[in-house]
mmCIF file of all heavy atoms in Angstrom:
data_model
loop_
_atom_site.group_PDB
_atom_site.id
_atom_site.type_symbol
_atom_site.label_atom_id
_atom_site.label_comp_id
_atom_site.label_asym_id
_atom_site.label_seq_id
_atom_site.Cartn_x
_atom_site.Cartn_y
_atom_site.Cartn_z
ATOM 1 N N HIS A 264 87.658 99.835 240.203
ATOM 2 C CA HIS A 264 87.291 99.173 238.962
ATOM 3 C C HIS A 264 88.513 99.128 238.060
ATOM 4 O O HIS A 264 89.362 100.038 238.117
ATOM 5 C CB HIS A 264 86.107 99.790 238.249
ATOM 6 C CG HIS A 264 86.306 101.254 237.914
ATOM 7 N ND1 HIS A 264 85.760 102.265 238.697
ATOM 8 C CD2 HIS A 264 86.959 101.846 236.919
ATOM 9 C CE1 HIS A 264 86.105 103.421 238.205
ATOM 10 N NE2 HIS A 264 86.841 103.213 237.108
ATOM 11 N N ARG A 265 88.608 98.119 237.268
ATOM 12 C CA ARG A 265 89.720 98.046 236.298
ATOM 13 C C ARG A 265 89.264 97.303 235.071
ATOM 14 O O ARG A 265 88.183 96.674 235.074
ATOM 15 C CB ARG A 265 90.947 97.405 236.918
ATOM 16 C CG ARG A 265 90.816 95.900 237.198
ATOM 17 C CD ARG A 265 92.054 95.390 237.848
ATOM 18 N NE ARG A 265 92.035 93.961 237.988
ATOM 19 C CZ ARG A 265 92.676 93.152 237.143
ATOM 20 N NH1 ARG A 265 93.322 93.602 236.115
ATOM 21 N NH2 ARG A 265 92.617 91.836 237.346
ATOM 22 N N ILE A 266 90.090 97.436 234.022
ATOM 23 C CA ILE A 266 89.657 96.811 232.780
ATOM 24 C C ILE A 266 90.461 95.500 232.614
ATOM 25 O O ILE A 266 91.676 95.477 232.799
ATOM 26 C CB ILE A 266 89.961 97.740 231.604
ATOM 27 C CG1 ILE A 266 89.024 98.969 231.724
ATOM 28 C CG2 ILE A 266 89.742 97.049 230.259
ATOM 29 C CD1 ILE A 266 89.352 100.101 230.817
ATOM 30 N N VAL A 267 89.754 94.398 232.322
ATOM 31 C CA VAL A 267 90.415 93.155 232.005
ATOM 32 C C VAL A 267 90.051 92.753 230.559
ATOM 33 O O VAL A 267 88.946 93.050 230.091
ATOM 34 C CB VAL A 267 90.035 91.999 232.935
ATOM 35 C CG1 VAL A 267 90.573 92.243 234.329
ATOM 36 C CG2 VAL A 267 88.549 91.801 233.007
ATOM 37 N N THR A 268 91.036 92.147 229.939
ATOM 38 C CA THR A 268 90.815 91.689 228.544
ATOM 39 C C THR A 268 90.667 90.181 228.581
ATOM 40 O O THR A 268 91.548 89.476 229.148
ATOM 41 C CB THR A 268 91.967 92.096 227.641
ATOM 42 O OG1 THR A 268 92.209 93.496 227.857
ATOM 43 C CG2 THR A 268 91.663 91.884 226.179
ATOM 44 N N LEU A 269 89.567 89.665 228.059
ATOM 45 C CA LEU A 269 89.396 88.205 228.075
ATOM 46 C C LEU A 269 89.392 87.714 226.639
ATOM 47 O O LEU A 269 88.774 88.327 225.736
ATOM 48 C CB LEU A 269 88.036 87.867 228.700
ATOM 49 C CG LEU A 269 87.860 88.329 230.142
ATOM 50 C CD1 LEU A 269 86.498 87.909 230.699
ATOM 51 C CD2 LEU A 269 88.974 87.816 231.065
ATOM 52 N N ASP A 270 90.156 86.639 226.423
ATOM 53 C CA ASP A 270 90.156 86.083 225.025
ATOM 54 C C ASP A 270 88.985 85.142 224.827
ATOM 55 O O ASP A 270 88.162 84.948 225.748
ATOM 56 C CB ASP A 270 91.527 85.465 224.712
ATOM 57 C CG ASP A 270 91.880 84.342 225.646
ATOM 58 O OD1 ASP A 270 90.933 83.821 226.259
ATOM 59 O OD2 ASP A 270 93.053 84.014 225.759
ATOM 60 N N ALA A 271 88.909 84.523 223.649
ATOM 61 C CA ALA A 271 87.781 83.744 223.301
ATOM 62 C C ALA A 271 87.457 82.647 224.317
ATOM 63 O O ALA A 271 86.305 82.420 224.681
ATOM 64 C CB ALA A 271 87.985 83.121 221.929
ATOM 65 N N ARG A 272 88.473 81.997 224.847
ATOM 66 C CA ARG A 272 88.279 80.891 225.769
ATOM 67 C C ARG A 272 87.695 81.351 227.107
ATOM 68 O O ARG A 272 87.031 80.591 227.797
ATOM 69 C CB ARG A 272 89.590 80.145 226.028
ATOM 70 C CG ARG A 272 90.068 79.321 224.903
ATOM 71 C CD ARG A 272 91.480 78.937 225.051
ATOM 72 N NE ARG A 272 92.299 80.126 225.170
ATOM 73 C CZ ARG A 272 93.468 80.198 225.763
ATOM 74 N NH1 ARG A 272 93.945 79.180 226.391
ATOM 75 N NH2 ARG A 272 94.156 81.345 225.802
ATOM 76 N N ALA A 273 87.971 82.631 227.441
ATOM 77 C CA ALA A 273 87.521 83.098 228.750
ATOM 78 C C ALA A 273 86.218 83.877 228.677
ATOM 79 O O ALA A 273 85.700 84.326 229.665
ATOM 80 C CB ALA A 273 88.607 83.990 229.327
ATOM 81 N N GLN A 274 85.638 84.000 227.466
ATOM 82 C CA GLN A 274 84.397 84.755 227.323
ATOM 83 C C GLN A 274 83.265 84.065 228.067
ATOM 84 O O GLN A 274 83.242 82.829 228.155
ATOM 85 C CB GLN A 274 83.975 84.862 225.836
ATOM 86 C CG GLN A 274 84.968 85.589 224.942
ATOM 87 C CD GLN A 274 85.022 87.062 225.271
ATOM 88 O OE1 GLN A 274 84.205 87.595 226.024
ATOM 89 N NE2 GLN A 274 86.035 87.705 224.760
ATOM 90 N N PRO A 275 82.356 84.854 228.655
ATOM 91 C CA PRO A 275 81.229 84.247 229.375
ATOM 92 C C PRO A 275 80.205 83.629 228.446
ATOM 93 O O PRO A 275 79.237 83.017 228.916
ATOM 94 C CB PRO A 275 80.640 85.455 230.144
ATOM 95 C CG PRO A 275 81.048 86.613 229.379
ATOM 96 C CD PRO A 275 82.356 86.312 228.735
ATOM 97 N N PHE A 276 80.345 83.825 227.153
ATOM 98 C CA PHE A 276 79.416 83.261 226.233
ATOM 99 C C PHE A 276 80.214 82.709 225.020
ATOM 100 O O PHE A 276 81.419 83.000 224.888
ATOM 101 C CB PHE A 276 78.434 84.334 225.719
ATOM 102 C CG PHE A 276 79.097 85.620 225.415
ATOM 103 C CD1 PHE A 276 79.724 85.801 224.204
ATOM 104 C CD2 PHE A 276 79.131 86.661 226.368
ATOM 105 C CE1 PHE A 276 80.357 86.980 223.904
ATOM 106 C CE2 PHE A 276 79.776 87.848 226.047
ATOM 107 C CZ PHE A 276 80.383 88.024 224.835
ATOM 108 N N VAL A 277 79.541 82.001 224.149
ATOM 109 C CA VAL A 277 80.256 81.468 222.964
ATOM 110 C C VAL A 277 80.433 82.651 222.011
ATOM 111 O O VAL A 277 79.472 83.306 221.617
ATOM 112 C CB VAL A 277 79.437 80.326 222.326
ATOM 113 C CG1 VAL A 277 80.117 79.836 221.079
ATOM 114 C CG2 VAL A 277 79.225 79.214 223.336
ATOM 115 N N ASP A 278 81.688 82.930 221.692
ATOM 116 C CA ASP A 278 81.961 84.085 220.851
ATOM 117 C C ASP A 278 82.289 83.640 219.414
ATOM 118 O O ASP A 278 83.336 83.083 219.162
ATOM 119 C CB ASP A 278 83.183 84.819 221.432
ATOM 120 C CG ASP A 278 83.550 86.056 220.608
ATOM 121 O OD1 ASP A 278 82.747 86.401 219.738
ATOM 122 O OD2 ASP A 278 84.634 86.569 220.822
ATOM 123 N N PRO A 279 81.340 83.833 218.493
ATOM 124 C CA PRO A 279 81.607 83.376 217.094
ATOM 125 C C PRO A 279 82.781 84.150 216.428
ATOM 126 O O PRO A 279 83.414 83.645 215.532
ATOM 127 C CB PRO A 279 80.302 83.685 216.380
ATOM 128 C CG PRO A 279 79.535 84.663 217.248
ATOM 129 C CD PRO A 279 80.076 84.532 218.623
ATOM 130 N N GLN A 280 83.000 85.326 216.928
ATOM 131 C CA GLN A 280 84.148 86.109 216.321
ATOM 132 C C GLN A 280 85.459 85.707 216.865
ATOM 133 O O GLN A 280 86.522 86.125 216.340
ATOM 134 C CB GLN A 280 83.894 87.615 216.545
ATOM 135 C CG GLN A 280 82.687 88.118 215.764
ATOM 136 C CD GLN A 280 82.420 89.601 216.041
ATOM 137 O OE1 GLN A 280 82.863 90.157 217.024
ATOM 138 N NE2 GLN A 280 81.624 90.142 215.199
ATOM 139 N N GLN A 281 85.442 84.950 217.998
ATOM 140 C CA GLN A 281 86.676 84.457 218.546
ATOM 141 C C GLN A 281 87.698 85.516 218.858
ATOM 142 O O GLN A 281 88.882 85.413 218.486
ATOM 143 C CB GLN A 281 87.306 83.404 217.661
ATOM 144 C CG GLN A 281 86.519 82.156 217.464
ATOM 145 C CD GLN A 281 86.752 81.168 218.601
ATOM 146 O OE1 GLN A 281 87.881 80.908 218.939
ATOM 147 N NE2 GLN A 281 85.701 80.665 219.184
ATOM 148 N N ARG A 282 87.208 86.632 219.373
ATOM 149 C CA ARG A 282 88.233 87.682 219.621
ATOM 150 C C ARG A 282 88.227 88.121 221.082
ATOM 151 O O ARG A 282 87.227 87.936 221.788
ATOM 152 C CB ARG A 282 88.014 88.879 218.679
ATOM 153 C CG ARG A 282 86.743 89.622 218.911
ATOM 154 C CD ARG A 282 86.587 90.681 217.804
ATOM 155 N NE ARG A 282 85.335 91.362 217.964
ATOM 156 C CZ ARG A 282 85.222 92.519 218.641
ATOM 157 N NH1 ARG A 282 86.255 93.081 219.186
ATOM 158 N NH2 ARG A 282 84.030 93.122 218.746
ATOM 159 N N ALA A 283 89.309 88.728 221.473
ATOM 160 C CA ALA A 283 89.430 89.215 222.856
ATOM 161 C C ALA A 283 88.577 90.443 223.053
ATOM 162 O O ALA A 283 88.434 91.240 222.122
ATOM 163 C CB ALA A 283 90.868 89.520 223.176
ATOM 164 N N ARG A 284 87.951 90.544 224.198
ATOM 165 C CA ARG A 284 87.103 91.683 224.480
ATOM 166 C C ARG A 284 87.499 92.281 225.815
ATOM 167 O O ARG A 284 88.021 91.597 226.712
ATOM 168 C CB ARG A 284 85.634 91.280 224.582
ATOM 169 C CG ARG A 284 85.028 90.944 223.249
ATOM 170 C CD ARG A 284 83.672 90.321 223.454
ATOM 171 N NE ARG A 284 83.275 89.535 222.275
ATOM 172 C CZ ARG A 284 82.522 90.067 221.339
ATOM 173 N NH1 ARG A 284 82.073 91.308 221.385
ATOM 174 N NH2 ARG A 284 82.169 89.328 220.283
ATOM 175 N N ASP A 285 87.246 93.604 225.918
ATOM 176 C CA ASP A 285 87.559 94.293 227.185
ATOM 177 C C ASP A 285 86.299 94.335 228.061
ATOM 178 O O ASP A 285 85.220 94.518 227.585
ATOM 179 C CB ASP A 285 88.025 95.707 226.871
ATOM 180 C CG ASP A 285 89.396 95.744 226.356
ATOM 181 O OD1 ASP A 285 90.089 94.674 226.488
ATOM 182 O OD2 ASP A 285 89.830 96.717 225.747
ATOM 183 N N TYR A 286 86.554 94.138 229.364
ATOM 184 C CA TYR A 286 85.453 94.219 230.321
ATOM 185 C C TYR A 286 85.856 95.130 231.412
ATOM 186 O O TYR A 286 87.024 95.198 231.806
ATOM 187 C CB TYR A 286 85.151 92.831 230.915
ATOM 188 C CG TYR A 286 84.559 91.874 229.920
ATOM 189 C CD1 TYR A 286 85.405 91.108 229.076
ATOM 190 C CD2 TYR A 286 83.207 91.737 229.755
ATOM 191 C CE1 TYR A 286 84.874 90.254 228.132
ATOM 192 C CE2 TYR A 286 82.659 90.885 228.832
ATOM 193 C CZ TYR A 286 83.525 90.100 228.001
ATOM 194 O OH TYR A 286 82.997 89.261 227.087
ATOM 195 N N LEU A 287 84.886 95.896 231.936
ATOM 196 C CA LEU A 287 85.077 96.658 233.162
ATOM 197 C C LEU A 287 84.789 95.673 234.305
ATOM 198 O O LEU A 287 83.728 95.080 234.379
ATOM 199 C CB LEU A 287 84.166 97.876 233.176
ATOM 200 C CG LEU A 287 84.270 98.709 234.457
ATOM 201 C CD1 LEU A 287 85.641 99.395 234.488
ATOM 202 C CD2 LEU A 287 83.104 99.719 234.490
ATOM 203 N N LEU A 288 85.760 95.552 235.212
ATOM 204 C CA LEU A 288 85.606 94.610 236.349
ATOM 205 C C LEU A 288 85.452 95.405 237.645
ATOM 206 O O LEU A 288 86.262 96.301 237.944
ATOM 207 C CB LEU A 288 86.875 93.744 236.403
ATOM 208 C CG LEU A 288 86.976 92.852 237.622
ATOM 209 C CD1 LEU A 288 85.767 91.913 237.789
ATOM 210 C CD2 LEU A 288 88.246 92.043 237.644
ATOM 211 N N GLN A 289 84.373 95.101 238.343
ATOM 212 C CA GLN A 289 84.169 95.702 239.640
ATOM 213 C C GLN A 289 83.915 94.575 240.666
ATOM 214 O O GLN A 289 83.435 93.518 240.270
ATOM 215 C CB GLN A 289 82.929 96.606 239.593
ATOM 216 C CG GLN A 289 83.210 97.917 238.906
ATOM 217 C CD GLN A 289 81.962 98.618 238.490
ATOM 218 O OE1 GLN A 289 81.415 98.345 237.439
ATOM 219 N NE2 GLN A 289 81.461 99.516 239.334
ATOM 220 N N ALA A 290 84.294 94.822 241.879
ATOM 221 C CA ALA A 290 84.187 93.735 242.848
ATOM 222 C C ALA A 290 83.579 94.272 244.190
ATOM 223 O O ALA A 290 83.667 95.446 244.474
ATOM 224 C CB ALA A 290 85.566 93.169 243.155
#
Side-chain angles (χ1 to χ4, degrees):
H264 57 260
R265 69 183 188 99
I266 292 168
V267 290
T268 310
L269 301 181
D270 59 21
R272 286 165 301 153
Q274 297 292 348
F276 43 82
V277 177
D278 180 11
Q280 292 176 343
Q281 294 277 312
R282 65 187 178 94
R284 288 168 200 267
D285 286 344
Y286 292 86
L287 178 68
L288 170 60
Q289 285 162 274

